[in-house]
Amino acid sequence: KAKELLSKLRRQIEVQLWSLRLFRHEPTLFHTLTNGESPRKDIPLLVTILDVAHEKFPNVFSSINDELFRERRKRAVASASRFLAISENSKLDFCKLFGVSKDKVDVTHLGVDLNTFGFEMDVSRQSQLRTEQALTRPFLLQVGGRLRHKNFTNLLFAFAEGNFSNQMDLICAGHPFGK
């Protein structure tokens, strides 16, 4: 109950702060992620959809915060003029689950900073990193989360049952397993 109350209070504070900022300028569009709402109803709302996991897997996302998330998303969808999805699959799932016309959803894939990640590593640096990280065999790098809807458990079963550990290592990046 306290989390729900704090969530509503936080939302009201955000609305007030955004209203103060928006009245200093004349915005033409309000863009938000997934479940936000425009503090001004006279500005078109553009909502980015990352996924619809909360709606597809309500048994996994069953806390009061998850329910509040779904309620906020419904309100955002009802008031949005247009949507961005990060993949064709997200677009199709979103349109199906929310009854939104495909014409109102554009796909814009997430980008990467090529200055940071767009380089080729020379063989000596690769060898140095492999030594530093004790990577002596080929490996599969898993970078997704370990929540149920990310299929991490299925990856572990497939890796074990397919006897892949004889051929390669499984390296998991992200949050430590203990958390």
Side-chain angles (χ1 to χ4, degrees):
K1 194 74 175 167
K3 278 187 178 183
E4 181 180 350
L5 184 63
L6 289 174
S7 180
K8 287 181 180 179
L9 178 61
R10 181 179 147 249
R11 177 67 187 140
Q12 287 306 310
I13 291 169
E14 288 174 355
V15 166
Q16 293 303 313
L17 290 174
W18 275 108
S19 294
L20 291 172
R21 288 184 189 133
L22 291 176
F23 285 118
R24 291 187 200 143
H25 309 284
E26 273 309 311
T28 56
L29 177 72
F30 188 84
H31 176 226
T32 185
L33 287 175
T34 302
N35 66 342
E37 297 175 74
S38 176
R40 285 185 34 189
K41 301 303 176 205
D42 60 326
I43 304 169
L45 176 64
L46 173 67
V47 176
T48 293
I49 303 299
L50 302 173
D51 64 36
V52 289
H54 281 76
E55 290 77 17
K56 282 181 80 170
F57 308 107
N59 56 325
V60 174
F61 298 98
S62 58
S63 73
I64 186 68
N65 286 336
D66 295 324
E67 187 57 39
L68 290 170
F69 178 91
R70 282 188 286 275
E71 287 175 21
R72 285 182 65 193
R73 176 149 31 199
K74 283 180 191 173
R75 288 194 304 270
V77 168
S79 60
S81 304
R82 196 139 187 98
F83 304 91
L84 294 177
I86 63 166
S87 70
E88 284 294 334
N89 194 57
S90 289
K91 175 181 177 174
L92 295 174
D93 284 348
F94 172 72
C95 291
K96 181 179 177 182
L97 286 167
F98 286 91
V100 171
S101 167
K102 292 177 186 174
D103 296 335
K104 289 182 75 174
V105 184
D106 296 298
V107 174
T108 305
H109 299 282
L110 296 177
V112 64
D113 181 358
L114 294 178
N115 293 323
T116 303
F117 297 102
F119 62 90
E120 290 187 32
M121 191 180 297
D122 63 56
V123 175
S124 64
R125 178 68 178 130
Q126 286 180 24
S127 179
Q128 179 187 358
L129 281 174
R130 284 182 168 277
T131 301
E132 287 173 4
Q133 301 300 320
L135 301 172
T136 58
R137 302 182 333 145
F139 60 89
L140 173 65
L141 177 62
Q142 188 272 343
V143 295
R146 288 186 264 290
L147 297 172
R148 277 183 32 198
H149 75 284
K150 295 292 185 180
N151 284 317
F152 181 70
T153 304
N154 290 334
L155 170 64
L156 292 180
F157 282 123
F159 196 81
E161 295 201 7
N163 244 355
F164 290 100
S165 61
N166 292 333
Q167 304 162 34
M168 69 178 81
D169 294 323
L170 175 61
I171 298 176
C172 303
H175 294 289
F177 281 97
K179 293 188 178 187

